[in-house]
Amino acid sequence: MSEQNHHVAVVDKRPFFERALSYGLQQGLLERTHCEKMIADGAKGSVQVADFFGSSHLHADLENARRRIVNLVSLYLEQQSNGDLQKAAQSLRDNTFLSHSRGGNEMLKALHAMPDSTVFGDVKSQPVKDFQDERTLAKPFSLAAYRKQLQSREQVAAVMGAAQWLAGDAGLDRSELDFVSAESVIRSAVLMRAAGVDGFPDRVRFAKTVEALRQKALAAGKFKLAAGMLDDLPASFRPIADKVRRNIEKNDAPLFLDAAAGLDRLLNDLETRYFVAEGGLDDVADFDAFVSKEWHRVMQGKEDPYSRLTAFMCIAAGMAPKTSLAAAEAKSLIRKVREHGFASAAVSAFIRDSAPFDLKDNLLALWEDEFLPEAELALLDEDDLNFVRGLAFLRENCNIKAAPAPRKSAGH
């Protein structure tokens, strides 16, 4: 049986500063005078750091301060030397110990200053002092962890930069982006460019753009956004915007190509992903009118519960929907439902297909679970020969015009 060679990897878990110091002494790069100077600088720095985070009069705070400085020096040394012990030892020889500590602290402050969220105006999760406290003692960064966090924040900053460029190019003021995600800004900019629309949309413009793009996609049987529309972006931002473009094609295309979905449903699914500029009350009214055309045609701007129930009752009786009825029309309605029954499904379909999206569920529940059972009891009562109870129910819940008073004859 042949003898196998076993190689054991030795892992040095000491802080990088200690490894560099040992290497420098072994290789003759550092002398006793260098060490004495580092000890003096370290003692001075420990008092300053202890005062900053606690008290220089407590032994525990001084010991923690020593560990903090070693961690800061290690981070800076390893970053500057890229892990090369000879370069690190030479740096310890040629520069002061405290300059390395300050260098590590500047690395932490620079990292903290970078955005960690792609939401404009988002508040930092930690004040800078708390960040320094955690990352110099409780959870000190390894160089790999620092670089990973740095890369992540650089990507966040790049996404925000791309969003700001697109917003500025479209004439959108930075103040309008507070608490808005950068991704949603890029998404809207890409969609508007695909539709040939200048600027950023309010709700009505967004709805019209989505409807136009959907009709185009349904006619073509596919939803594609040309990559060339991003050619004017700075080179550093182009890959970011193109990634969003491809994400829209992948994740939003099925929504645009769903011919069975109403526009209101499509907009409800899309709006959380896109930035839509705030509008006033007129914008809200115009949006509702555009998205729910049939609803507004029927309701004529009347959104009180009596008008809605009157229209529902007309549809249920097979009559043209109206928001108010004359007494004679109400009697005719009762006759129709007694003869043919309630066309409840037609009312539910009207609500699902035409009502504003945010009202659908409540209106369906109102019609199917609350109003219809009561209407059936009141209007289908065969003992109510003269429609007295039926008319009373309709007057209580719907808009029924009072019959005009009879004219008095001349001479009375």
Side-chain angles (χ1 to χ4, degrees), residues 38-95:
M38 278 188 269
I39 291 171
D41 279 353
K44 178 182 176 182
S46 294
V47 172
Q48 294 172 345
V49 171
D51 272 335
F52 183 72
F53 287 111
S55 169
S56 61
H57 303 295
L58 297 177
H59 175 75
D61 286 343
L62 286 170
E63 174 58 23
N64 285 340
R66 184 196 67 79
R67 292 169 57 196
R68 292 181 194 275
I69 288 181
V70 169
N71 288 330
L72 287 171
V73 172
S74 295
L75 181 63
Y76 179 75
L77 264 182
E78 193 170 4
Q79 167 77 347
Q80 294 302 108
S81 67
N82 201 28
D84 186 317
L85 290 174
Q86 180 170 336
K87 289 182 179 178
Q90 290 170 340
S91 183
L92 287 173
R93 179 194 64 195
D94 299 337
N95 302 284

Side-chain angles (χ1 to χ4, degrees), residues 53-369:
F53 287 111
S55 169
S56 61
H57 303 295
L58 297 177
H59 175 75
D61 286 343
L62 286 170
E63 174 58 23
N64 285 340
R66 184 196 67 79
R67 292 169 57 196
R68 292 181 194 275
I69 288 181
V70 169
N71 288 330
L72 287 171
V73 172
S74 295
L75 181 63
Y76 179 75
L77 264 182
E78 193 170 4
Q79 167 77 347
Q80 294 302 108
S81 67
N82 201 28
D84 186 317
L85 290 174
Q86 180 170 336
K87 289 182 179 178
Q90 290 170 340
S91 183
L92 287 173
R93 179 194 64 195
D94 299 337
N95 302 284
T96 66
F97 182 76
L98 288 181
S99 70
H100 291 86
S101 174
R102 285 193 294 271
N105 192 44
E106 289 303 315
M107 286 174 64
L108 290 184
K109 290 200 294 185
L111 181 66
H112 181 271
M114 298 178 71
D116 57 359
S117 164
T118 55
V119 175
F120 288 100
D122 199 13
V123 178
K124 287 281 186 182
S125 57
Q126 281 183 305
V128 63
K129 185 174 181 179
D130 291 350
F131 182 74
Q132 292 170 299
D133 184 11
E134 179 182 61
R135 290 303 183 174
T136 57
L137 187 62
K139 296 179 181 178
F141 274 122
S142 66
L143 181 61
Y146 177 87
R147 286 178 172 175
K148 183 178 180 181
Q149 183 66 218
L150 179 64
Q151 182 182 37
S152 173
R153 296 197 183 204
E154 285 174 342
Q155 290 173 347
V156 168
V159 170
M160 297 187 76
Q164 284 182 292
W165 189 93
L166 286 164
D169 183 62
L172 188 67
D173 191 83
R174 168 63 183 81
S175 62
E176 296 185 58
L177 299 181
D178 281 344
F179 309 112
V180 173
S181 78
E183 291 92 340
S184 70
V185 173
I186 298 173
R187 210 173 188 90
S188 283
V190 170
L191 199 70
M192 293 304 110
R193 283 175 170 234
V197 175
D198 293 329
F200 279 83
D202 55 21
R203 291 190 76 201
V204 176
R205 202 178 194 192
F206 182 74
K208 291 180 178 179
T209 300
V210 167
E211 176 68 355
L213 287 173
R214 180 170 73 158
Q215 294 304 324
K216 183 179 177 181
L218 288 172
K222 60 183 180 180
F223 183 76
K224 290 291 182 182
L225 305 178
M229 66 180 169
L230 302 174
D231 287 347
D232 62 316
L233 271 69
S236 59
F237 296 148
R238 210 171 299 146
I240 297 169
D242 191 61
K243 182 179 179 181
V244 172
R245 179 190 66 82
R246 287 182 278 111
N247 183 276
I248 293 173
E249 285 187 341
K250 178 181 178 181
N251 296 307
D252 294 352
L255 300 176
F256 279 91
L257 294 171
D258 183 2
L263 178 59
D264 56 350
R265 174 64 182 272
L266 174 60
L267 290 169
N268 185 72
D269 290 340
L270 290 177
E271 273 191 318
T272 56
R273 308 179 191 182
Y274 291 84
F275 167 68
V276 179
E278 291 291 334
L281 292 177
D282 289 343
D283 178 46
V284 174
D286 291 344
F287 174 82
D288 287 342
F290 176 75
V291 173
S292 307
K293 295 183 180 71
E294 178 62 14
W295 175 267
H296 285 273
R297 185 190 69 78
V298 169
M299 300 307 302
Q300 296 293 308
K302 297 175 182 176
E303 295 296 343
D304 61 280
Y306 302 101
S307 297
R308 290 173 180 170
L309 289 174
T310 305
F312 295 169
M313 284 299 298
C314 289
I315 295 170
M319 299 167 57
K322 299 172 66 174
T323 56
S324 65
L325 296 173
E329 291 175 311
K331 287 184 179 181
S332 177
L333 185 152
I334 297 172
R335 290 192 191 95
K336 287 178 179 293
V337 296
R338 286 191 182 180
E339 183 177 353
H340 303 290
F342 282 87
S344 176
V347 179
S348 299
F350 171 70
I351 294 171
R352 281 192 296 269
D353 294 342
S354 303
F357 187 85
D358 55 348
L359 297 178
K360 288 183 192 291
D361 289 343
N362 287 338
L363 291 176
L364 282 171
L366 170 65
W367 170 254
E368 296 174 352
D369 301 332

